[in-house]
Amino acid sequence: QVQLVESGGGLVQAGGSLRLSCAASGRTLSNHAMGWFRQAPGKAREFVASINWSGDTTYYADSVKGRFTISRDNAKSTVSLQMSSLKPDDTAVYYCAARIVGLAATSPSSYFYWGQGTQVTVSS
């Protein structure tokens, strides 16, 4: 069993930056692909970024490409999402998720473990 806990959310002005972190417990994440997803009120959960087990393959949604960076530290069982040039449209609850395999994926249905989410609010 894997427990995922996100942190780092908050309120930031447009153009600002935030760094989200996801810590895993209960089992090492070193063999799992990880992803970040987000869900705004009234909208479906959407893919943000993902990273394979070794960290050498990453995928990004077009809406965040060039602004967000996903990274991982397998020794610490953590995954981070560095968010820059934030826009009001980035406002959502951000979720960390883990697959049971090492290949990164972009569909929420590909992920087995989920955190509780952390709120990110970007003011204009």
Side-chain angles (χ1 to χ4, degrees), residues 80-120:
S80 298
L81 185 69
Q82 178 66 47
M83 307 186 294
S84 303
S85 302
L86 284 161
K87 307 174 182 179
D89 285 348
D90 294 319
T91 295
V93 176
Y94 283 71
Y95 297 90
C96 172
R99 299 196 72 195
I100 59 174
V101 296
L103 296 178
T106 61
S107 170
S109 62
S110 297
Y111 288 78
F112 191 77
Y113 300 105
W114 291 84
Q116 294 299 306
T118 185
Q119 176 70 47
V120 171

Side-chain angles (χ1 to χ4, degrees), residues 52-65:
N52 74 331
W53 69 276
S54 62
D56 60 4
T57 300
T58 57
Y59 298 106
Y60 295 94
D62 287 342
S63 59
V64 308
K65 204 170 292 184

